[in-house]
Amino acid sequence: MKLTILGKPKNFEQYESKVVYHSHNKYILDFEEPNDIVKFLKENLENLKVVSGNDLIEPKKYIQQFVEKVVYYSDFDIAYQKIFDRDFNVIGAEFFCKFPIYPPLIADIMEDTTLLDFKCLKKVLERVNIKKWNKKIFFNLFTQSLRRFDFIASLISAVRKEYYPEKFVIEVLENALDLKESAPIFKLLKKYKINIAIDDWGSETAGIDRIVRLNPDYVKIDKSITWNPKAF
């Protein structure tokens, strides 16, 4: 993937890129992955501009446009990982979309992730119907989407139409939630029997008091705790 820039780029070698053209302060760089373009531009926000057609675009603006274009117009596959209870019985699986750009980068850059989450949701529901999956479906949302009542209403409608709501579990990151903001959303989901799971609990500033107040149906403990013998 080629990127044309004006300026003095730094550290482009570490992002799996190579210079295919260089004249004065103009560079054409070739990258292996879209993630590398995003990370490279984030490191060079102040010292270059991106050439797009006849326009010079600030890196921050170009990143936004680039990420939206890549994730909305690219096709992506569904993957899953099984989830076990304490007796090692399979209770469900976490289904997720293999986006062409890392989810943390998407979350950091995109203000509105609802269309992306809904596109992913439809693919997941199609897959579980084809596979005749009869256990819990864990679905991880971007925090930005969880704040939107209109998106949550659409999600509830889609789940009720395609699958049994009580088998559907929305995963959220506890440390990214605002308790006051989340309360009415959680109440609406529980009203329609959709379960809620706190994902990666213990990874950052998680606390038992917040778990008690959020009252989720499941708590998925972060591996930094489960893999650490000193945590017990």
Side-chain angles (χ1 to χ4, degrees), residues 3-44:
L3 179 73
T4 303
I5 58 172
L6 291 180
K8 294 182 178 180
K10 60 180 180 180
N11 299 332
F12 61 83
E13 301 92 345
Q14 73 183 56
Y15 296 110
E16 300 294 328
S17 67
K18 59 182 180 180
V19 178
V20 296
Y21 175 84
H22 175 211
S23 178
H24 301 292
N25 68 337
K26 182 177 181 179
Y27 292 79
I28 299 179
L29 304 177
D30 192 9
F31 291 84
E32 293 288 335
E33 299 288 342
N35 291 297
D36 294 322
I37 291 180
V38 175
K39 289 187 286 187
F40 164 74
L41 289 175
K42 283 173 68 68
E43 188 174 345
N44 286 272

Side-chain angles (χ1 to χ4, degrees), residues 31-78:
F31 291 84
E32 293 288 335
E33 299 288 342
N35 291 297
D36 294 322
I37 291 180
V38 175
K39 289 187 286 187
F40 164 74
L41 289 175
K42 283 173 68 68
E43 188 174 345
N44 286 272
L45 291 176
E46 304 298 330
N47 55 309
L48 58 80
K49 289 191 170 44
V50 179
V51 180
S52 179
N54 295 321
D55 299 323
L56 289 178
I57 304 175
E58 294 290 339
K60 187 174 182 179
K61 182 178 180 181
Y62 183 85
I63 291 171
Q64 179 81 28
Q65 296 173 348
F66 176 75
V67 170
E68 290 182 357
K69 181 179 179 180
V70 170
V71 297
Y72 283 137
Y73 295 104
S74 298
D75 196 15
F76 43 80
D77 199 7
I78 303 296

